[in-house]
Amino acid sequence: FIFYFLLLVIIFNSGCKQPPQIANKFYDHYKNPIYKTFDTAAYHTEFKRQLVVLKAQLRYAGPITNYYTATGFEPHFTDKFLFNGQLRQLVGYLNKANEHGLNASVFKADLIARELDTIQANHFKMITDVYPVLARLEIETANALITYSGILQFGVVNPHALYRRYNMKVKRPDSLFIQQVYKVNNLNFYLDNIQPKDSIYLQLKRQLADIDTDIVDSDKIHRARLIKLNMERLRWQTPAKHNKYLWVNIPAFNLQWVENNQQIFNMKVCVGEPRPTDYDEHLKKYLQTHNLDDKPLNHETTILTSRIATIQLNPTWNIPTSIAQNEIYYALQKDPEYLVNNNIRVYYKDKLVTEPDTIRWNRIARQKIPYKFKQDASDLNALGKFKFIFDNESSIYLHDTPNKKAFKKAWRAVSHGCVRVEDPLKLAQVLVGDTTRIDEIRMEVGMEPQNLKDTTRFKLLKAKRSVPGFELRSKYIDVRSVQLFINYYTCWPGQDGKLAYYDDVYRMDPTLEKAMGKYLAK
């Protein structure tokens, strides 16, 4: 009995001392006998020590630590991709990150290459010399691969953390994304697959490669900077575009109708005024005093995506409180006839005030105006004859305007936040789609019909409107639901296909550049 017991102990102990699978792979590949003495427990101890040493350098330190803790500190990426040469391919991809406008040095490809060189030189004399090299290679590979993959697929920064008026949904890296990286079986295929394929992105990438910034040329350096920043914007995972959509680029002051990736037409737009340069200082003061005179104005158009499904013809304008406080309040002090001259009605607790001229406006606190103001449909209405409605949290819309002068100017950041369109009838026609309804729309807004059969009806409508006391009524029409994107790019292909560069209307570029920090190529 004792003999058999001792025999089992010997067999058991000899089995426990068998090197792990990774050690056998190393031995088979490099034929170095020290790998036969691989001690798993000693390696795990060294791996944990290296995690502590490298933690401050890891972009995803928490998830990486959690993964290896859960899997017993096994060398995952090294086991999969060292012996087939794919870790060398990773180094190659990381070193070309500058092609994406990224600083390649942040991915530490040189460290991975150094560890690979040390292992492949095969000069180890003791197994304990292997452990720190293998541990660092695994940790540095994990961090570089997850970071590189995350940036190419989602961008460096989260725009919601940067900008006050960025209401477009953006997908960001999460735990599921990190799990998928660890499940990769073919690293070369994966790295190729995550390269951005968007045609605009590739055009910016090619243009960046053609700019020789080694030559000191301020214009080239400026253009290269804009390309890099806008490549980052294109990496943000915003909602996918359908085969038909409307696209407003704020810095370009332009709206496009796009079908199957082709621009069908475009038109000028006016967008919201930029915030004053001292906005943050005034906001800080206002949050302390709560005095309306200290509150800075912010009319910047919100970045968003939605769907246009309704057009309001001859719209009424429910004037926002901010405009009532900052503009109408003062206008009433100077001109008692302001309301009548601008076709504006006054409401108190949703009831029409029939004699607003009797209100003593100078006795009302601007901060607590108890009235609501509504501008009726007319040729004077600030929204013009067309209002294009879409759901959004900022209560903005696309609309016509009676003031067409701004469209003749290059700088068109002049609105209170909504987007004024140059040719609202053309936009309405393409949204309606049904040519038989076009004349109905034209006559509703006081324009002659194109069909001669409707001429008599138009004359009757015109005569009706000339009757004293006639009130123009708004009319809502449903249109085919179309995606709308209001976005912000300071560099974008123009109508001729060449890259166009635009003024940074809302000063968003410096904010993005600062947030990208070390990840932005210099």
Side-chain angles (χ1 to χ4, degrees):
F1 175 79
I2 293 174
F3 171 77
Y4 284 111
F5 175 76
L6 292 174
L7 182 61
L8 288 172
V9 170
I10 292 170
I11 294 172
F12 178 76
N13 286 337
S14 63
C16 288
K17 291 181 180 178
Q18 288 296 317
Q21 183 180 359
I22 185 70
N24 290 330
K25 286 186 176 181
F26 270 102
Y27 176 76
D28 293 340
H29 198 82
Y30 296 110
K31 305 304 181 184
N32 191 329
I34 66 166
Y35 290 113
K36 291 291 187 180
T37 64
F38 196 99
D39 187 329
T40 302
Y43 168 71
H44 290 173
T45 299
E46 179 61 26
F47 190 96
K48 287 184 278 188
R49 191 183 76 82
Q50 291 295 334
L51 265 178
V52 173
V53 172
L54 299 173
K55 185 175 182 180
Q57 306 172 29
L58 307 180
R59 181 177 172 93
Y60 292 96
I64 288 174
T65 301
N66 292 340
Y67 175 83
Y68 289 104
T69 300
T71 57
F73 308 102
E74 292 300 311
H76 176 85
F77 291 115
T78 310
D79 188 18
K80 274 189 170 184
F81 306 123
L82 170 63
F83 305 105
N84 59 17
Q86 292 194 35
L87 287 189
R88 284 288 183 188
Q89 297 297 322
L90 172 62
V91 171
Y93 275 95
L94 299 179
N95 281 329
K96 293 191 293 185
N98 61 304
E99 296 178 358
H100 298 279
L102 300 169
N103 180 6
S105 66
V106 300
F107 301 105
K108 308 292 185 184
D110 57 329
L111 298 182
I112 297 174
R114 183 187 67 188
E115 311 300 357
L116 285 173
D117 290 342
T118 302
I119 289 174
Q120 292 170 350
N122 197 23
H123 293 157
F124 296 114
K125 302 299 182 183
M126 300 174 61
I127 192 62
T128 52
D129 295 334
V130 175
Y131 300 151
V133 178
L134 180 57
R136 287 196 299 268
L137 177 60
E138 179 67 26
I139 296 168
E140 289 162 357
T141 296
N143 184 61
L145 180 57
I146 295 171
T147 301
Y148 178 80
S149 174
I151 288 175
L152 284 198
Q153 295 181 81
F154 304 98
V156 176
V157 301
N158 181 354
H160 288 288
L162 294 185
Y163 304 123
R164 289 183 176 91
R165 295 198 172 185
Y166 194 101
N167 290 352
M168 195 175 294
K169 290 183 179 179
V170 177
K171 188 177 179 182
R172 298 294 300 159
D174 55 16
S175 58
L176 180 60
F177 153 73
I178 294 176
Q179 291 173 25
Q180 290 172 341
V181 175
Y182 276 101
K183 291 178 181 178
V184 170
N185 290 317
N186 186 318
L187 190 54
N188 290 342
F189 176 80
Y190 175 74
L191 290 169
D192 182 65
N193 193 53
I194 64 173
Q195 301 298 308
K197 305 295 192 300
D198 178 80
S199 60
I200 304 296
Y201 186 96
L202 295 178
Q203 185 171 346
L204 266 61
K205 186 180 177 183
R206 288 192 297 270
Q207 187 68 33
L208 181 63
D210 290 340
I211 296 177
D212 184 5
T213 54
D214 290 336
I215 300 175
V216 180
D217 183 326
S218 59
D219 185 56
K220 285 185 176 181
I221 293 172
H222 174 66
R223 283 186 280 129
R225 170 180 172 269
L226 291 187
I227 291 173
K228 294 169 191 175
L229 293 174
N230 287 283
M231 288 176 78
E232 166 67 6
R233 290 183 173 114
L234 284 166
R235 286 189 290 264
W236 296 339
Q237 276 206 28
T238 54
K241 296 180 176 67
H242 296 171
N243 63 333
K244 295 180 182 180
Y245 60 89
L246 285 169
W247 194 78
V248 174
N249 186 12
I250 293 171
F253 306 123
N254 183 264
L255 175 147
Q256 297 179 13
W257 173 267
V258 181
E259 290 187 22
N260 300 317
N261 296 320
Q262 298 295 319
Q263 176 186 300
I264 304 304
F265 68 81
N266 75 91
M267 66 180 67
K268 296 176 182 178
V269 297
C270 297
V271 299
E273 295 176 317
R275 290 177 294 152
T277 55
D278 56 358
Y279 178 87
D280 290 333
E281 296 174 18
H282 281 278
L283 180 62
K284 190 180 296 183
K285 184 177 180 181
Y286 170 71
L287 293 175
Q288 293 174 342
T289 65
H290 297 289
N291 186 331
L292 195 59
D293 291 327
D294 295 327
K295 186 176 182 180
L297 299 177
N298 187 353
H299 294 319
E300 292 183 352
T301 298
T302 305
I303 295 170
L304 56 82
T305 181
S306 187
R307 301 189 71 89
I308 294 179
T310 305
I311 302 175
Q312 185 182 14
L313 305 178
N314 304 312
T316 56
W317 183 32
N318 295 312
I319 301 175
T321 300
S322 60
I323 296 178
Q325 291 174 332
N326 294 297
E327 298 181 24
I328 293 179
Y329 178 82
Y330 292 114
L332 288 169
Q333 309 285 338
K334 297 177 182 179
D335 181 9
E337 304 300 320
Y338 175 82
L339 296 173
V340 174
N341 291 337
N342 288 278
N343 206 26
I344 296 175
R345 297 180 189 264
V346 181
Y347 294 82
Y348 180 75
K349 294 183 178 181
D350 296 328
K351 291 185 179 180
L352 179 66
V353 177
T354 55
E355 297 181 348
D357 55 327
T358 63
I359 300 173
R360 298 183 179 182
W361 297 103
N362 59 346
R363 294 189 179 184
I364 295 174
R366 182 165 71 98
Q367 195 158 349
K368 298 180 180 180
I369 298 176
Y371 301 99
K372 300 294 182 183
F373 301 87
K374 181 182 292 187
Q375 189 176 38
D376 290 336
S378 71
D379 292 335
L380 300 174
N381 192 283
L383 305 184
K385 300 295 182 68
F386 298 86
K387 175 181 174 182
F388 303 89
I389 302 171
F390 51 92
D391 290 336
N392 67 96
E393 297 176 358
S394 303
S395 300
I396 64 171
Y397 27 83
L398 274 61
H399 67 85
D400 180 22
T401 176
N403 181 10
K404 306 292 186 180
K405 293 181 181 179
F407 292 111
K408 297 179 181 180
K409 299 179 180 179
W411 179 266
R412 296 192 291 277
V414 296
S415 82
H416 288 94
C418 291
V419 178
R420 304 175 190 171
V421 295
E422 180 184 30
D423 192 344
L425 178 61
K426 185 173 185 177
L427 181 57
Q429 288 175 337
V430 75
L431 286 171
V432 171
D434 184 357
T435 55
T436 62
R437 299 173 64 190
I438 301 304
D439 277 347
E440 175 190 348
I441 293 172
R442 293 176 65 92
M443 289 188 290
E444 284 288 343
V445 298
M447 299 176 68
E448 290 192 19
Q450 295 174 327
N451 188 341
L452 295 177
K453 294 180 181 179
D454 289 328
T455 303
T456 302
R457 181 186 169 199
F458 174 69
K459 289 180 179 178
L460 291 173
L461 287 171
K462 193 173 182 180
K464 184 179 179 181
R465 289 176 182 177
S466 64
V467 175
F470 172 79
E471 292 185 9
L472 189 62
R473 298 291 182 183
S474 294
K475 181 175 182 179
Y476 292 89
I477 58 174
D478 294 329
V479 298
R480 52 178 174 170
S481 179
V482 174
Q483 274 185 311
L484 168 69
F485 293 85
I486 300 179
N487 222 320
Y488 195 97
Y489 291 93
T490 50
C491 173
W492 197 260
Q495 295 181 52
D496 57 1
K498 297 179 180 179
L499 285 187
Y501 301 87
Y502 305 109
D503 289 335
D504 184 15
V505 183
Y506 295 158
R507 302 182 295 276
M508 285 187 165
D509 282 352
T511 303
L512 178 56
E513 184 173 18
K514 182 178 178 181
M516 289 186 71
K518 65 181 182 180
Y519 292 97
L520 183 66
K522 302 303 179 186

